[in-house]
Amino acid sequence: MIAPGSITSTTTAPAQLSTGGMTVFGSYAAIRTLQTMKPTFNESYLLLSRRFEGRVKPKEDGQVFRVMQWNVLAQGLTDSNPRKNFCKTPPRWLEWETRRYLILLEILSYMPDIIILQECDRFDFFDIKLREFGYKGKFKERPFSPCVDMPDDDEGKPDGCAIFYHTERFNLVECVYRQLVNQMQHSTSTLAFALKLEFVEDNHPLLVVNTHLKGGPKTEQTRYEASIDLSNFVAEHAGSRDLVVIGADLCENPSQRGYDHLITKFKDAYAFALEGKHPSFTTWRFRPTGEEKYTNDCIFYNDVGLRVLQALDVPSDAAVGDYRLPSRFCGSDHISLICDFQRVMETS
């Protein structure tokens, strides 16, 4: 968690612990959690090397808060063999017993005030672990989740969208959601899920929105129509004073129509921090049809009342490694996006 008015180091905190043949780099909060989870094998758990970019100096007044956006890869979708997804990823890096260490390590090393997750099919696990560090969260199941029918997942839980908030910074007012519709008003398999929060300091409202649009090369029109309903959903639930932050896996690159629509309604935090550029990728994996490297994930915001201070850039291609993602350095086939915001205080 970021203290009001402060910014953390521009690189990952280098806390280190060696125990039982395992070396962990990350925050002490993450290390304490990992110590209680009994690793299934002795290995060094590391995070991908990344740097914050932008680094706008915060003003003296106005709370600073950190947002993480991450598709954490549903365990029900991790089946790996030469004919299926993640065909080059070593199987042990896809096991939940391994991935949960890396995901928690990353979350707790950056200690965001707000955590926005897609493809979360182990919400109970995250809810229990993150409560130890002052977080509370809510979950909404994705319509027609493919995880339920996966034969290799013993639990067979549907995935969905989760939002966590740190209770020292925010209070929960309301939880709202909608199954988004297309232009014919037919329901899609896309969910818009939001928490209405208030800052503990002064009860100022903040609307945090989570969405995961439908993937696939033939669904661009569906994503475009869902993005229109998403912006309508935000307009319906955001009051005139509400700050708005949206974490999204758009399942498409910024050149496509869904993104083009959303950018007419909201600002792209990473485009601001990277001076008009987009991350070179946010998901990178091998599938039987070939290598897939896309920029699918975004953090949007309304710039009335918010300013971007910095954003965590993507790791280098060399750091990702030959197997791409997931890997021994990242528990998902997506990388996390992290952005620091500051409120622009109202003037009388």
Side-chain angles (χ1 to χ4, degrees):
M1 184 183 67
I2 302 177
S6 68
I7 293 184
T8 59
S9 169
T10 57
T11 57
T12 304
Q16 177 179 347
L17 177 71
S18 296
T19 178
M22 180 181 72
T23 302
V24 179
F25 293 84
S27 73
Y28 289 107
I31 289 171
R32 290 198 305 272
T33 296
L34 290 171
Q35 282 183 298
T36 69
M37 294 172 61
K38 297 181 180 179
T40 55
F41 60 89
N42 291 332
E43 180 128 28
S44 295
Y45 286 80
L46 310 171
L47 295 180
L48 289 167
S49 178
R50 303 171 65 180
R51 291 188 61 84
F52 281 97
E53 300 293 342
R55 300 203 290 276
V56 175
K57 184 177 180 179
K59 297 180 179 179
E60 291 185 2
D61 59 342
Q63 295 100 327
V64 175
F65 63 99
R66 173 167 292 177
V67 175
M68 170 182 276
Q69 145 64 30
W70 200 3
N71 179 323
V72 292
L73 177 59
Q75 188 61 27
L77 302 179
T78 57
D79 186 28
S80 176
N81 65 54
R83 296 178 303 279
K84 295 186 179 180
N85 293 338
F86 314 112
C87 53
K88 292 190 178 183
T89 302
R92 72 176 184 178
W93 295 347
L94 293 168
E95 294 172 358
W96 179 238
E97 293 298 309
T98 301
R99 294 200 309 116
R100 63 179 189 163
Y101 288 104
L102 290 168
I103 293 170
L104 270 180
L105 175 64
E106 185 150 346
I107 290 173
L108 294 174
S109 290
Y110 290 107
M111 289 299 286
D113 298 291
I114 294 169
I115 306 164
I116 302 170
L117 305 179
Q118 296 88 33
E119 285 195 22
C120 181
D121 64 347
R122 297 294 191 271
F123 174 77
D124 290 345
F125 168 80
F126 290 111
D127 191 37
I128 291 170
K129 290 298 180 183
L130 291 174
R131 277 179 182 269
E132 297 175 16
F133 300 96
Y135 293 95
K136 288 185 179 180
K138 295 291 184 180
F139 170 81
K140 187 63 183 175
E141 177 182 327
R142 176 161 55 150
F144 313 112
S145 169
C147 297
V148 177
D149 300 321
M150 291 297 171
D152 295 325
D153 184 12
D154 294 335
E155 296 191 35
K157 294 182 178 180
D159 74 304
C161 294
I163 302 174
F164 293 89
Y165 60 95
H166 204 287
T167 56
E168 290 184 6
R169 302 301 310 279
F170 300 101
N171 293 318
L172 176 63
V173 177
E174 187 179 7
C175 177
V176 293
Y177 65 91
R178 181 160 81 210
Q179 190 171 343
L180 298 179
V181 300
N182 59 24
Q183 291 182 332
M184 298 295 292
Q185 298 302 302
H186 296 152
S187 295
T188 69
S189 59
T190 297
L191 175 73
F193 174 56
L195 298 188
K196 292 184 176 183
L197 304 175
E198 289 181 344
F199 284 85
V200 169
E201 292 89 344
D202 60 2
N203 297 324
H204 194 93
L206 170 68
L207 184 70
V208 180
V209 184
N210 188 348
T211 193
H212 185 186
L213 300 189
K214 184 174 179 59
K218 298 181 180 180
T219 57
E220 182 177 357
Q221 180 65 24
T222 300
R223 291 193 295 271
Y224 170 64
E225 294 178 7
S227 71
I228 294 174
D229 197 32
L230 174 65
S231 60
N232 293 337
F233 171 81
V234 174
E236 290 170 13
H237 292 286
S240 60
R241 297 178 62 245
D242 285 23
L243 309 176
V244 177
V245 172
I246 304 170
D249 178 357
L250 299 180
C251 287
E252 67 178 28
N253 285 318
S255 60
Q256 294 183 287
R257 297 174 68 202
Y259 176 90
D260 286 346
H261 170 75
L262 291 172
I263 208 64
T264 66
K265 306 293 183 180
F266 312 103
K267 301 294 184 181
D268 183 333
Y270 265 71
F272 177 86
L274 301 180
E275 299 181 342
K277 299 178 182 179
H278 298 284
S280 57
F281 69 95
T282 62
T283 181
W284 197 0
R285 61 206 167 215
F286 280 110
R287 286 183 169 167
T289 53
E291 188 171 5
E292 297 182 348
K293 185 181 184 183
Y294 303 123
T295 302
N296 286 351
D297 303 271
C298 296
I299 297 177
F300 298 103
Y301 68 104
N302 62 343
D303 62 345
V304 179
L306 285 178
R307 62 198 294 259
V308 175
L309 299 180
Q310 59 181 4
L312 188 65
D313 204 358
V314 301
S316 67
D317 289 4
V320 172
D322 295 338
Y323 299 115
R324 308 311 186 224
L325 302 174
S327 73
R328 63 177 291 186
F329 308 112
C330 181
S332 175
D333 59 335
H334 291 242
I335 62 164
S336 64
L337 300 184
I338 299 175
C339 187
D340 291 345
F341 292 94
Q342 184 175 33
R343 282 181 55 188
V344 178
M345 301 306 292
E346 299 172 340
T347 57
S348 56

